[in-house]
Amino acid sequence: MQLSVIMDSLPYLFQASIATVCYTLGGIIVGAALAILVCAARFSRSPILQRLARAHVSVFRGIPLLVLLMLIFYLLPLIGIFVPASVSAVLALGLCTSGYLAEMLRGALLAIPAGQTEVAEALGMTGVDVWRRILLPQAMRGCLPQVIGEFIALMKASSLISVIGISELTRVSMNIAATTFRPLEAYIGAGIFYLAINLCLAGCGNLAERRLGRGVPA
Amino acid sequence: MSSLALLWHWAPLLLSGIAVTLWSWLLGSLLGLAIGFVVALLRRLPLRPLRWALRLYVEVIRGTPFLLQLFLLYSGGPFIGIRLSALAAGIICLGVHAGAYFAEIFRAGFESLPKGQIEAASSFGMTPLQILWRISLPTMLVAIFPSIVSMLISISKETVILSIITVPNLMYQIQSMTVETYSAFAGIIALAAFYWIFVESLARICALVERRLTFFMRAGAAS
C-alpha cells in the first residue's frame, strides 16, 4: 500500500464525487417526475392508463441499469436523436429509479385517508387541485425516508455510467489505477469517498425526516 | 439480415451467454446466502472484536458500488497475490457483495424471533443447535422470505455487470455480436427482454412459494 497514491489523487476523487452526486440528483429528479406521472396514471379511471402504469413499473424494475444505459446509448441515435452521453446517463438513471419511486409514492398515497380527497372535492377542488395541494405534498413527505434510501442505492448504481465514459467517481479511479499502476489504492480511495457521500446523505436524510416528518401518517 | 435471423445465427453463443449468466446468479446467490448466514450467526457471539470486524464488512460492502468491488478484486487482487479468472472473480464478488445484504436480512430475522419459543424449546431439553435447526430457522425463513427474494432479484440484475470484467455472459456475447455485425438494435432489445422475463419469472415463482409458506398464517386458513 502506498498512501501517497491516495493522497495525490484526493482532489480528483473529490471533484469526481461532486459529479457522482450531481448525476444521481439528476436521475432522482427525472425519476420523481416520471413517478408522479406513473402514479397519476395508476390512480386514474382509465383501465388503459392503469395497465400502462403497471407495465412501466414492471419493465423498469426488471431491466438492469447497465442494459437501460445501452438501450438509450445505442438506440436513441438509431431513431435520429443525438444527445451527449451525460444526458443519456441521467435519462437511464431516471428511468431505472422511476419504477421504484412510483411504488414508494403509491404506498404513501394509499396511506392518506380517503376522506381528505372527498372533503377537497366537496370544497369544489378539481382533480388536479386535489393532487397538487392535498395528495402530493403529503405523499412526498410520507415516502421521504424511502426516497433517501433510493438516492443512496442510485448513487452506488451510478458507478455504471462510467461505462459510457462519464467522469464520475468510478471512472476517475479507473484512470488513476491505469496511470499509477496502483489499482488497490485507487479503488480503495474511491470506496472511501463513496462511504463519505453515503454518511452525508444518511445524515441529510435524518435531518429532513425530523424537519418534514411531523404530522404525517406513517 | 433481419433481426430474428441475426439472433438465430448467433444462437449458440447467446445460449452459452445465458448459461453463464444463470450459473453466476445461482452460485453467487448460494455463496451470498452462506456468507450472510454465517456472518449473522457469528455476530450473535459475545466477542466484541469479531462483532466489530463483521459490522465493518457489512457496512463497507453495503456502502460502496458493486462495480468498484469487482475492480478491486479483479484488477487489485493480483497485487496481493489473489489471481482469479474473470468468472471466478465475478462469482466470488457477487457472493461477498450479496453476503453483506443477506447478513443484515438474517440479523433482522433473528431479532424478530419471539424469545418464548427458544425458552420453551430449551425447557424441552433441545440443544442450541437443535433449536436453531428445528425452531429458529424455519420460523425465521418464513418471516424474511420476501426480503430474500428481493435480494435474489437484485443479484440477478447485478450479473449483467460481470460483462465489464469480460465474463462471457449474455451481455458480453451480445456486445461481441454488436461489434461484429454493426447492428445494435436486435441484441440490446433481446438482452432487455431476457432480463425482464428472468426477473418477472423469479418474482412470480417466489410469490407462489410465499403463498404456500404463509398458508397457515393467513386468516381463515385454520378454521
Side-chain angles (χ1 to χ4, degrees):
Chain A
M1 280 292 276
Q2 283 188 337
L3 275 181
S4 62
V5 174
I6 298 184
M7 293 318 252
D8 291 344
S9 51
L10 282 181
Y12 304 106
L13 290 173
F14 181 74
Q15 271 182 339
S17 306
I18 293 171
T20 281
V21 172
C22 288
Y23 277 102
T24 309
L25 196 59
I28 287 279
I29 290 168
V30 172
L34 278 168
I36 291 171
L37 288 177
V38 169
C39 263
R42 188 83 194 253
F43 285 99
S44 76
R45 289 189 183 87
S46 135
I48 299 164
L49 282 178
Q50 285 175 24
R51 268 245 155 103
L52 277 174
R54 275 216 199 89
H56 176 100
V57 170
S58 161
V59 165
F60 289 109
R61 288 205 312 186
I63 299 177
L65 174 61
L66 189 56
V67 179
L68 270 180
L69 210 52
M70 293 293 136
L71 270 173
I72 292 170
F73 195 67
Y74 283 114
L75 299 192
L76 279 188
L78 276 185
I79 52 172
I81 300 172
F82 296 91
V83 290
S86 56
V87 176
S88 296
V90 170
L91 210 56
L93 287 171
L95 281 171
C96 179
T97 193
S98 67
Y100 295 98
L101 289 177
E103 283 299 282
M104 289 170 196
L105 194 60
R106 192 172 75 96
L109 282 166
L110 288 173
I112 299 170
Q116 291 201 16
T117 314
E118 287 161 19
V119 170
E121 278 169 357
L123 289 173
M125 283 193 190
T126 59
V128 177
D129 269 343
V130 176
W131 269 81
R132 197 170 59 91
R133 295 171 174 231
I134 312 287
L135 295 175
L136 275 183
Q138 292 189 85
M140 281 178 164
R141 271 184 293 173
C143 64
L144 189 78
Q146 287 169 292
V147 171
I148 299 283
E150 183 59 21
F151 195 115
I152 292 176
L154 192 68
M155 198 251 328
K156 288 182 293 179
S158 75
S159 66
L160 292 177
I161 62 176
S162 60
V163 173
I164 57 169
I166 306 277
S167 294
E168 44 63 76
L169 201 39
T170 300
R171 183 87 204 171
V172 167
S173 65
M174 283 165 80
N175 295 343
I176 293 168
T179 49
T180 60
F181 296 106
R182 288 264 165 196
L184 273 177
E185 288 83 346
Y187 296 137
I188 287 172
I192 292 168
F193 272 92
Y194 274 112
L195 287 171
I197 303 173
N198 246 317
L199 278 176
C200 291
L201 285 176
C204 292
N206 286 335
L207 203 74
E209 248 181 276
R210 274 209 304 273
R211 296 288 300 269
L212 295 171
R214 290 182 220 127
V216 178
Chain B
M1 212 171 182
S2 80
S3 296
L4 280 176
L6 191 73
L7 290 174
W8 179 247
H9 179 72
W10 284 75
L13 263 182
L14 299 185
L15 283 174
S16 80
I18 287 178
V20 171
T21 297
L22 294 176
W23 190 229
S24 57
W25 169 73
L26 189 68
L27 286 180
S29 299
L30 289 174
L31 183 62
L33 279 165
I35 292 175
F37 184 64
V38 170
V39 168
L41 269 184
L42 289 177
R43 278 182 81 174
R44 298 172 65 76
L45 294 177
L47 292 167
R48 198 154 287 206
L50 182 70
R51 281 219 305 247
W52 272 100
L54 293 175
R55 185 164 172 211
L56 187 72
Y57 154 72
V58 169
E59 296 298 332
V60 166
I61 295 281
R62 281 166 35 115
T64 51
F66 177 64
L67 183 61
L68 197 68
Q69 293 159 14
L70 204 54
F71 283 150
L72 192 64
L73 180 64
Y74 187 61
S75 41
F79 285 77
I80 46 171
I82 305 171
R83 283 168 211 287
L84 296 162
S85 70
L87 183 61
I91 289 171
I92 289 171
C93 209
L94 262 182
V96 170
H97 179 82
Y101 288 86
F102 280 132
E104 278 299 288
I105 293 171
F106 280 122
R107 192 174 67 106
F110 276 124
E111 281 172 7
S112 74
L113 287 171
K115 291 270 179 293
Q117 271 192 359
I118 294 163
E119 285 162 14
S122 52
S123 70
F124 276 118
M126 284 189 181
T127 62
L129 265 182
Q130 273 181 320
I131 295 175
L132 179 70
W133 191 243
R134 294 185 181 178
I135 310 283
S136 306
L137 262 185
T139 322
M140 189 171 97
L141 282 179
V142 174
I144 60 178
F145 190 74
S147 316
I148 289 185
V149 170
S150 70
M151 195 58 218
L152 289 177
I153 289 173
S154 284
I155 299 167
S156 75
K157 284 159 70 178
E158 252 148 17
T159 53
V160 79
I161 299 171
L162 301 188
S163 66
I164 298 176
I165 59 161
T166 69
V167 171
N169 62 11
L170 185 62
M171 171 101 185
Y172 183 85
Q173 302 294 12
I174 281 186
Q175 278 179 314
S176 50
M177 180 178 117
T178 305
V179 169
E180 288 216 11
T181 58
Y182 295 111
S183 93
F185 185 78
I188 305 273
I189 295 287
L191 184 64
F194 166 79
Y195 270 100
W196 182 60
I197 292 166
F198 183 19
V199 168
E200 273 293 312
S201 336
L202 244 175
R204 283 180 194 196
I205 292 166
C206 291
L208 283 177
V209 175
E210 198 183 335
R211 277 185 64 83
R212 288 296 301 273
L213 280 179
T214 56
F215 179 76
F216 296 104
M217 297 183 186
R218 285 205 299 278
S223 55

